[in-house]
């Protein structure tokens, strides 16, 4: 952390998430990738195509000629997690739920980043691993590397916030690609930290990208159908020009 805002975020996160865990996480932040494409795609198939690899299967996604192309790429970890001061067991990670809200309303390709070495279901073990990955500035391996960003002009990049930053596996993804000519919009789910350091990290990690407006939703509220997350995320998508209705 370097700025005062970061320090405030960390202090608050420390109070709310448990200082022990956060200290461990603070003591903490890994390389190429593969594509889990739940490919929702694209109108108007044209000759240009982009292969993506999902769990050993290569799919080819039709792309519109000269049209805007959006990729949603995200990492999310189900299992034991922080929940309103306690713990909960998430069957589907909060960021995945948020990603689905987005893909419900816009057309885009989807790539879910899978860790080569899966993160533990245990919250404390994950905090400890993330702490050492942050500390080591590690680049955790990706099981399903995405071949290329070619043909995309807008990248929505999503993850939880871990110790006030995106998990280091997001750096692994980002630094394996050339973002020249793209606009990157970070989206995160968090407990107390909001976007945390996400905008600064992606600015550093996404070579050649323009950083666009990001979006943050509180993890606890994401699966709650009575919360305003869905309307907030739709508002953000309108603001950044991806949703017109
Ligand atoms: C290892 C770890 C570290 C976390 N660190 C923070 C943090 O520093 N600030 C924060 O607001 N939330 C933190 N959280 C909470 C998550 O950001 C939040 O629960 C998020 O919604 C989880 O998303 P997911 O289910 O998609 O993984 C942390 C959670 C974990 C597992």
């Amino acid at each position: 952390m370097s700025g005062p805002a970061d320090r405030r975020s960390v202090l608050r996160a420390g109070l709310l998430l448990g200082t022990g865990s956060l200290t461990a996480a603070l003591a903490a932040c890994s390389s190429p990738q593969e594509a889990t494409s739940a490919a929702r795609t694209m109108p108007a198939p044209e000759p240009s195509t982009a292969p993506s690899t999902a769990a050993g299967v290569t799919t080819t996604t039709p792309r519109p000629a000269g049209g805007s192309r959006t990729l949603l790429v995200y990492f999310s970890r189900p299992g034991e997690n922080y929940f309103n001061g306690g713990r909960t067991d998430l069957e589907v990670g909060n960021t995945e739920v948020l990603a689905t809200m987005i893909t419900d309303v816009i057309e885009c390709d989807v790539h879910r980043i899978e860790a080569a070495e899966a993160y533990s279901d245990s919250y404390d073990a994950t905090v400890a691993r993330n702490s050492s990955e942050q500390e080591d500035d590690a680049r955790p391996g990706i099981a399903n590397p995405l071949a290329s960003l070619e043909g995309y002009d807008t990248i929505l990049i999503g993850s939880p916030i871990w110790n006030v930053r995106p998990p280091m596996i997001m750096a692994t993804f980002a630094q394996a690609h050339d973002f020249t000519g793209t606009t990157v919009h970070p989206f995160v789910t968090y407990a107390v930290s909001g976007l945390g350091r996400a905008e600064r990290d992606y600015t550093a990690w996404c070579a050649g990208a323009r950083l666009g407006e990001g979006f943050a939703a509180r993890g606890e509220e994401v699966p709650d159908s009575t919360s305003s997350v869905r309307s907030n995320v739709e508002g953000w998508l309108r603001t950044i020009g991806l949703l017109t209705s």
Side-chain angles (χ1 to χ4, degrees):
M1 332 269 88
S2 51
D6 284 337
R7 285 190 205 101
R8 275 197 300 275
S9 300
V10 170
L11 282 172
R12 186 156 178 243
L15 287 173
L16 298 182
L17 298 182
T19 309
S21 296
L22 194 69
T23 302
L26 283 178
C29 278
S30 263
S31 151
Q33 66 270 41
E34 190 186 336
T36 306
S37 279
R40 298 172 51 87
T41 37
M42 315 300 54
E46 269 284 304
S48 61
T49 57
S52 63
T53 309
V57 178
T58 299
T59 59
T60 301
T61 303
R63 301 212 169 156
S68 166
R69 290 298 317 276
T70 301
L71 172 70
L72 184 154
V73 54
Y74 73 98
F75 170 79
S76 182
R77 174 192 152 273
E80 185 190 19
N81 213 327
Y82 178 87
F83 186 81
N84 290 327
R87 300 284 183 269
T88 191
D89 195 21
L90 297 173
E91 208 166 300
V92 179
N94 295 326
T95 309
E96 179 154 327
V97 174
L98 183 59
T100 303
M101 282 182 200
I102 296 170
T103 59
D104 279 349
V105 293
I106 67 166
E107 288 192 338
C108 59
D109 287 348
V110 179
H111 177 69
R112 177 183 165 154
I113 297 170
E114 304 283 356
E117 184 196 334
Y119 285 87
S120 169
D121 279 348
S122 153
Y123 175 79
D124 290 338
T126 305
V127 167
R129 175 173 166 186
N130 178 61
S131 294
S132 64
E133 289 180 349
Q134 283 192 354
E135 232 172 27
D136 298 346
D137 194 24
R139 296 292 179 271
I142 293 178
N144 57 338
L146 183 67
S148 161
L149 297 181
E150 203 183 326
Y152 296 110
D153 52 31
T154 303
I155 320 277
L156 307 178
I157 188 162
S159 77
I161 288 293
W162 283 1
N163 188 24
V164 197
R165 302 181 69 185
M168 294 312 289
I169 200 165
M170 303 309 290
T172 308
F173 174 84
Q175 292 182 328
H177 290 287
D178 179 2
F179 285 79
T180 302
T182 67
T183 300
V184 168
H185 296 276
F187 68 95
V188 305
T189 67
Y190 67 93
V192 294
S193 303
L195 278 159
R197 264 185 61 165
E199 288 167 314
R200 197 190 325 167
D201 280 340
Y202 287 124
T203 299
W205 294 339
C206 299
R210 182 184 86 81
L211 199 82
E213 183 174 332
F215 180 80
R218 219 178 133 247
E220 289 90 333
E221 293 176 5
V222 172
D224 176 357
S225 58
T226 66
S227 80
S228 56
V229 172
R230 188 173 287 272
S231 63
N232 291 346
V233 77
E234 290 179 8
W236 169 63
L237 292 169
R238 281 188 198 96
T239 301
I240 64 176
L242 293 181
L243 187 61
T244 48
S245 58

